[in-house]
Amino acid sequence: MALSLLDQAKKDFSKKKYSEVISGLQPYVLEYKESFDFHLYLGLSYLYTGEIANALDYFSAARKIKLTDPNLLVAQAAIFLRKSDTRKAIDYYMQALTHNPDCKIAKKGLEFVRKHNSPELIGEYVQSGKIKKLYPDPTRENRRAKKVSILLAAGIVLVSVTLILPFMLKTRTFSGPLRRDISELNLSNTDKRGAVDINGTYSIILTNDEVIKIYENAQRLFLTYRDNLAQYEINRILYSNASVAVKQKARLLMQYLEEPGFDTVKDIFSYADVSKQPELYLDCYVIWRGTATNVTAGLYNTAFDLLVGYDTKIKLEGIVPVFCNFVSIIDTEKPIEVLGKIEIKQERLCLVGVSIYQSGKPLNIKN
């Protein structure tokens, strides 16, 4: 019996035929857009061949389908290691261990960070190609799992108590604080007593307690890397009757928010929500899907109109101008995903493009 597309890809992957996996799967992105395994194996194949940007794109798509897969988590951790971002790598390894306490790649990665926690040592490891030792191979793991499943079932309690828990506690000790210390931006007692401005006209009217609650919530969201929601809360402060002192601290907090990537952006707002009151979403990041039209490209930038929701050519949610400070070849016949920051120009909702992604296959429209 002939193997299915995915089964053949897994067989090729187990034989390290990564180029064949890519050529076999890549043309069928639209047909398998809801398949986690499809995006995982395609992303892993690009990772092993060194095409990191493509790997990130497919890992991002896989993450939308399943957030907690250990193989995906350790693969993303390895990419952060390549960037010498050990803090995020540790975070992803710990997530992998949470969902699979026996994840050997995660343990190996944490041990590597402990012994090679410097950009120079990590750079040498990447350049030598040894970093591939920290890349996952689900086919190998699956084979191993079948052989040891009985032993794991019998010893899981003992292993969890005597090995995994101490290991996790030990590895957490070098991860450091969650994020930059922003205690200097805490509201003082004076700020709290006068948190609202009694004069002026504002689009949002809040009580003193509401201003304090919203601002402190923005701080908590920042500390847990939920920058989009933090920015939304900051905007509520800036467009409200909050005092000048509170607004100044909110603007300072904005400076610490980070630009995300396809694989790191969280709390994405829909076009329908943003279009109702766009000023509350200024400087938030979204990933919107559709098709591109009116494409213009200069020497250093690209601009186009995004037909949001029109990737299936059935429903058009809206038209949003996109401005990119980079040059990109855009096919107007293919669906496109845009990671962009929300802005308002000439009273119109726009996106400043951070990254764009298009599948390798045009839409198949049936008559």
Side-chain angles (χ1 to χ4, degrees), residues 195-196 206-215 237 240 242 246:
V196 297
L206 302 171
T207 65
N208 204 84
D209 288 344
E210 286 174 334
V211 170
I212 296 170
K213 182 178 179 180
I214 292 171
Y215 178 80
I237 293 290
S240 76
V246 175

Side-chain angles (χ1 to χ4, degrees), residues 315-363:
K315 180 181 178 181
L316 175 62
E317 296 181 44
I319 302 175
V320 179
V322 180
F323 306 94
C324 305
N325 293 320
F326 54 86
V327 178
S328 180
I329 298 175
I330 297 175
D331 190 335
T332 57
E333 295 300 317
K334 297 178 182 177
I336 187 170
E337 283 186 296
V338 178
L339 168 61
K341 183 171 70 172
I342 295 172
E343 289 193 358
I344 297 176
K345 296 183 178 181
Q346 298 179 346
E347 300 183 353
R348 188 177 182 186
L349 172 64
C350 305
L351 291 181
V352 176
V354 174
S355 183
I356 60 176
Y357 168 73
Q358 284 195 290
S359 69
K361 190 174 182 180
L363 284 171

Side-chain angles (χ1 to χ4, degrees), residues 72 96 102-103 132 149 163 190 209 218 225 231 279 289 355:
L72 175 59
D102 198 42
C103 183
K132 290 185 178 181
S149 58
L163 295 179
T190 301
D209 288 344
Y225 290 91
Q231 181 65 63
E279 65 272 10
R289 184 176 175 86
S355 183

